Amino acid sequence: ASTTSRLAIAIAGAGIGGLSAGLCLARAGHRVEIFERAPALREIGAGLQITPNGAAVFERLGLGPALDKVAIRARAVRPTDGRSGRGIARFALDGGPYPYRFLHRAALIDLLADAARDAGARIVTGQAVRAARPETGDLIFETGEPTRHELILAADGLRSVLRPLITDEAARFTGQVAWRAVLNGVEAAPEARIWMLPGRHVVTYPLPGGRLNLVAVREQSGWAPEGWDHAEDPARLRAVFADAAPELRALLDRIEATRLWGLFRHEVPERWHVGRLALLGDAAHPTLPFLAQGANLAIEDGWVLARALEAAPDLDAALGLYAQRRGPRVRRAIAAAQANARNYHFSGVSRRIAHLALGAIDRVAPGRFTARMDWLHGHDVTRNWPAIARMTGHSSLE
Ligand code: FAD
């Protein structure tokens, strides 16, 4: 066995990134402890899109059937003129090797936590990490005794307390704010609709149980409130979309409670580790949510890290290999999400041209959308290891 097998690994944060990494690492034979600040595992009340690249990891972990029980399989994405309500195009999302799913975040957290525990991971809630000593692997908590580990993963999100030990990259406001809401009693086709308006857009998609997930985004020059999100009067959201199509306004009228998020991110650092400490998920590479990739990229991270630990001769090499394999991929996805901010928010003549172009792609070459997204959705981190498969000859993850 190499020096990186059966490590004692601590993960700070039991979000989607920390739990899926914990699952992959426990399956690979490591001793995993996950420390979560919140008193109980929970997620914000909102939906999530798991795209085929994230699904590839879950499929190889054997979670496909469990996911299908709590998810809706998406059939298409429909860019829509948010002012007139006219459908601009309909791009198929089904037909690939792995499904594209809509589900509730809380359902995914429950499923991942159960699978991680079954694989032997220990999840400790109500345990906030305060600091770490990367050279020794000591983890220091807000309360209680420090613990020592061979590897510490900072999966503590965009506001990571451990990231400053690795990089100076600080999160900054992106000039975009988002409202989120879940509507009850709405039956909708299994499609994501992107309602585009000048400087704004709304994404809606169904969740199991007759619910509809809604995210509305607008450009805004500053972020005044303290903190990252706050309760918001739905009337303010409705006022921002007062010129929207009647169908969209009818949905917005049904919102009883919403929260407003300032969207923040930082650059992806060059180095992802120092000593025994490494970054994962939003702590490493936060993205605008306009390509539904933040959680999917975090899920990919966990698998790649587990494989890198299997493949490399020592911890430093494994963590270097992990960052080397992840860096270009997450940078490309983040840039594409950033470009969507522009594509969705066009106004004036460029808006008409963009809508015509989307419609033309749909009519003339409907497969072109799938082909254009293949680098993202068709990427399967569980299979793209030719060199490493030769090195190890097997994988214990499956
Ligand atoms: P987080 O989810 O932030 O989890 C971090 C965890 O660490 C939390 O549980 C937190 O409580 C815990 N923690 C924090 N500090 C400490 C500490 N000091 N000690 C211990 N624990 C700590 N992504 C998709 O893939 N698909 C989508 O459809 C999608 N939609 C989105 C829509 C919106 C509006 C937004 C804003 C984001 C969306 N994302 C989506 C992005 C996705 O939510 C994030 O990228 C993802 O949740 C990141 O997971 P994470 O585990 O890295 O971090």
Side-chain angles (χ1 to χ4, degrees):
S2 73
T3 51
T4 50
S5 62
R6 265 196 81 67
L7 296 178
I9 300 178
I11 300 178
I16 294 163
L19 287 173
S20 49
L23 169 58
C24 290
L25 293 163
R27 285 272 184 95
H30 301 289
R31 283 168 290 136
V32 175
E33 289 175 288
I34 308 175
F35 300 101
E36 166 59 47
R37 176 176 60 188
L41 292 188
R42 48 126 217 245
E43 255 289 348
I44 59 151
L48 186 73
Q49 307 184 49
I50 294 295
T51 54
N53 49 308
V57 172
F58 290 150
E59 213 64 47
R60 294 278 276 215
L61 293 166
L63 296 180
L67 273 173
D68 275 332
K69 287 200 182 119
V70 294
I72 290 176
R73 285 198 177 203
R75 308 259 336 251
V77 58
R78 275 174 63 197
T80 301
D81 181 329
R83 276 210 174 129
S84 68
R86 193 176 55 85
I88 296 168
R90 182 184 186 282
F91 299 119
L93 292 175
D94 48 7
Y98 302 113
Y100 190 124
R101 295 182 177 95
F102 304 136
L103 74 169
H104 203 283
R105 283 168 182 264
L108 181 61
I109 288 282
D110 286 350
L111 198 145
L112 287 174
D114 286 347
R117 285 195 190 98
D118 286 348
R122 194 166 79 95
I123 302 172
V124 187
T125 52
Q127 188 70 305
V129 170
R130 183 157 60 83
R133 292 196 195 96
E135 297 320 315
T136 54
D138 287 328
L139 196 54
I140 297 135
F141 302 98
E142 291 294 344
T143 56
E145 292 300 305
T147 50
R148 180 163 283 195
H149 311 268
E150 287 160 289
L151 171 61
I152 298 172
L153 282 183
D156 52 345
L158 179 61
R159 286 159 275 173
S160 171
V161 296
L162 299 179
R163 182 174 63 237
L165 293 166
I166 299 178
T167 164
D168 304 332
E169 293 295 349
R172 56 183 164 67
F173 180 56
T174 60
Q176 314 264 353
V177 296
W179 294 261
R180 284 164 144 177
V182 175
L183 305 182
N184 291 315
V186 183
E187 290 299 335
E191 299 173 338
R193 290 187 78 177
I194 305 168
W195 308 77
M196 301 182 288
L197 295 96
R200 294 151 294 162
H201 76 274
V202 176
V203 175
T204 54
Y205 56 84
L207 296 173
R211 289 172 299 174
L212 189 81
N213 189 70
L214 186 149
V215 177
V217 173
R218 80 176 279 197
E219 293 165 15
Q220 183 174 298
S221 54
W223 177 249
E226 269 302 302
W228 302 69
D229 74 287
H230 61 86
E232 166 93 334
D233 182 349
R236 288 167 58 120
L237 166 59
R238 288 192 267 276
V240 168
F241 288 90
D243 59 340
E247 193 187 346
L248 178 55
R249 271 188 295 146
L251 291 174
L252 298 174
D253 281 346
R254 298 178 61 143
I255 297 177
E256 287 167 14
T258 183
R259 293 189 78 77
L260 180 65
W261 266 261
L263 299 181
F264 285 69
R265 69 178 197 86
H266 57 75
E267 293 310 317
V268 179
E270 279 308 315
R271 277 187 71 80
W272 288 30
H273 84 281
V274 56
R276 297 184 176 278
L277 174 68
L279 302 171
L280 184 133
D282 269 12
H285 47 71
T287 172
L288 282 173
F290 308 161
L291 203 59
Q293 284 305 310
N296 286 290
L297 293 173
I299 292 159
E300 291 182 1
D301 285 350
W303 179 281
V304 172
L305 176 63
R307 288 303 300 262
L309 287 171
E310 266 186 346
D314 60 50
L315 185 64
D316 200 54
L319 297 179
L321 178 60
Y322 158 65
Q324 185 196 322
R325 298 214 46 131
R326 298 303 296 149
R329 166 116 179 119
V330 303
R331 286 196 179 87
R332 185 170 179 190
I334 290 167
Q338 191 79 38
N340 271 352
R342 197 181 55 241
N343 298 340
Y344 293 172
H345 294 175
F346 279 129
S347 54
V349 179
S350 4
R351 172 174 153 86
R352 280 200 294 281
I353 293 171
H355 290 190
L356 283 171
L358 275 174
I361 293 174
D362 188 20
R363 279 192 308 279
V364 180
R368 186 129 170 257
F369 174 78
T370 315
R372 278 193 62 179
M373 298 306 283
D374 193 54
W375 67 271
L376 184 67
H377 294 160
H379 185 88
D380 180 350
V381 289
T382 73
R383 293 189 194 277
N384 290 345
W385 285 90
I388 287 168
R390 270 202 301 282
M391 274 188 255
T392 58
H394 76 286
S395 166
S396 51
L397 288 166
E398 297 150 54

